[in-house]
Amino acid sequence: MNKISLSGSTLNISPIVLGMWHINSIEQNQFEKLVQAALDSGITTFDHADIYGGYTCEGIFGKWFKNSAVKREDIQLVSKCGIKLISENRPHHTAKQYDTSKAHIIDSVNRSLKSLDTDYLDLLLIHRPNPLIRPREVGEAFDELKIAGKVRHFGVSNFTPHQFSFLKNDCGIPLVTNQIEISAFASEPMFDGTLDYFQKHDLGLMAWSPVGGGNNINGILENKKVQGMAEKYNLSIGDLLLVWLQNHPAPIVPVIGTMNPERVKSATKTLDVKMDSADWFNLLEITRGREVA
């Protein structure tokens, strides 16, 4: 699997990323099989956030990484910060809130580096737009982290185009991506100008929940049209939904959240599948529950 350059930057990631959100829900041996399945399939980019698993998931990954034979330069680590949760692992937090202060960003990165057992992050994302954000202060934090060699690239998650542009223009540091929810079940960014903005500016998006989650998939399992399309392309319905997203002309990197090693392996078979436009719109109608206008 060839790496891709995210937004034309020097950050080269795998075209499918494995999300670490739920790794605290599986046993250590299952987690090791999951990561190995990803690496064997060519998936080398792993998506974290400090808050995942109540601030425990980065440590689970770091424990594995410390004892593995994997070289740091052979994988790419993504993490996020900016959300504060009330948690026994952060007893000083007094409210669920956003915090994009310089002090919090730098402290979060230092904690993530320690948990992940690494000297640097390939990509740091601000996890959610903060109504109290001060872009220049964010820029100061990013600049300090980059100079120290602790973070190589920066971006955001769940930002609107206007929020992205506001931060990008005022923080003074290039932003290479925005990680958003987008799938056949959450297709609004394809119609509200979000994808248009990022295509216009040659910026790559990352997609969380790229197939819409298990409950959504379960709701269409018995649909005859969907079953026929899955058979046509020789794919599972989950992988069919991944192909649907990958066939949009915008550069979108899916962050898959499965904890099943076999599903990780099958996901990599979707990269070169071309979907007929009639099938694309039929699947859109089915997942949205209404006809194309």
Side-chain angles (χ1 to χ4, degrees):
M1 184 187 300
N2 294 326
K3 302 286 191 302
I4 60 171
S5 171
L6 193 56
S7 302
S9 69
T10 58
L11 176 57
N12 295 311
I13 65 175
S14 50
I16 294 175
V17 172
L18 184 59
M20 300 283 100
W21 188 2
H22 299 297
I23 60 174
N24 66 315
S25 67
I26 58 178
E27 298 295 330
Q28 184 69 23
N29 64 336
Q30 186 181 352
F31 169 68
E32 292 172 359
K33 291 177 182 178
L34 178 76
V35 179
Q36 194 58 54
L39 295 172
D40 291 345
S41 302
I43 297 174
T44 59
T45 307
F46 301 94
D47 180 76
H48 294 269
D50 58 352
I51 64 171
Y52 287 171
Y55 300 95
T56 65
C57 289
E58 288 182 326
I60 294 170
F61 186 94
K63 179 182 177 182
W64 164 82
F65 181 54
K66 183 177 182 178
N67 296 311
S68 77
V70 176
K71 295 179 180 178
R72 178 63 181 88
E73 60 268 25
D74 291 337
I75 62 173
Q76 302 79 48
L77 297 180
V78 181
S79 194
K80 311 176 197 73
C81 70
I83 299 176
K84 283 182 173 179
L85 299 181
I86 296 175
S87 168
E88 61 182 13
N89 294 310
R90 295 293 188 274
H92 58 286
H93 290 181
T94 58
K96 183 178 181 181
Q97 64 182 95
Y98 303 140
D99 188 345
T100 48
S101 66
K102 179 179 177 180
H104 181 71
I105 292 171
I106 291 175
D107 179 64
S108 297
V109 168
N110 287 332
R111 287 174 179 265
S112 290
L113 294 178
K114 183 178 180 180
S115 296
L116 291 165
D117 195 51
T118 185
D119 295 327
Y120 68 93
L121 296 175
D122 295 277
L123 176 62
L124 174 69
L125 307 178
I126 299 297
H127 205 155
R128 292 273 178 181
N130 177 7
L132 302 181
I133 197 167
R134 299 178 186 273
R136 292 183 184 178
E137 187 173 353
V138 173
E140 289 175 6
F142 285 178
D143 195 46
E144 187 170 315
L145 290 166
K146 189 171 182 66
I147 290 172
K150 294 181 178 181
V151 181
R152 297 188 172 180
H153 300 87
F154 302 89
V156 297
S157 182
N158 302 298
F159 276 50
T160 67
H162 287 299
Q163 291 165 338
F164 182 94
S165 180
F166 173 58
L167 180 59
K168 172 179 171 291
N169 291 341
D170 283 23
C171 80
I173 300 290
L175 303 179
V176 300
T177 194
N178 184 14
Q179 187 178 127
I180 63 173
E181 181 183 12
I182 183 170
S183 69
F185 296 98
S187 59
E188 292 81 6
M190 296 183 179
F191 299 96
D192 65 10
T194 298
L195 265 63
D196 301 331
Y197 173 89
F198 286 91
Q199 284 180 270
K200 176 182 178 181
H201 295 282
D202 296 320
L203 294 165
L205 289 163
M206 301 175 76
W208 61 267
S209 195
V211 299
N215 289 336
N216 284 320
I217 294 174
N218 290 338
I220 62 170
L221 284 177
E222 303 303 320
N223 186 287
K224 298 300 182 184
K225 282 189 176 181
V226 175
Q227 291 175 347
M229 280 186 269
E231 291 174 6
K232 175 180 177 179
Y233 295 102
N234 194 27
L235 296 168
S236 68
I237 289 177
D239 287 343
L240 180 74
L241 291 162
L242 199 57
V243 165
W244 181 90
L245 184 65
Q246 292 165 324
N247 270 257
H248 190 279
I252 302 172
V253 178
V255 181
I256 60 173
T258 181
M259 295 290 100
N260 185 325
E262 295 306 314
R263 291 178 184 169
V264 170
K265 294 175 184 177
S266 70
T268 61
K269 300 175 183 178
T270 65
L271 289 169
D272 298 319
V273 178
K274 302 300 180 184
M275 179 176 280
D276 181 88
S277 63
D279 292 332
W280 196 93
F281 280 101
N282 277 327
L283 192 53
L284 176 65
E285 282 195 351
I286 292 165
T287 53
R288 290 205 299 180
R290 64 181 188 274
E291 290 185 354
V292 173

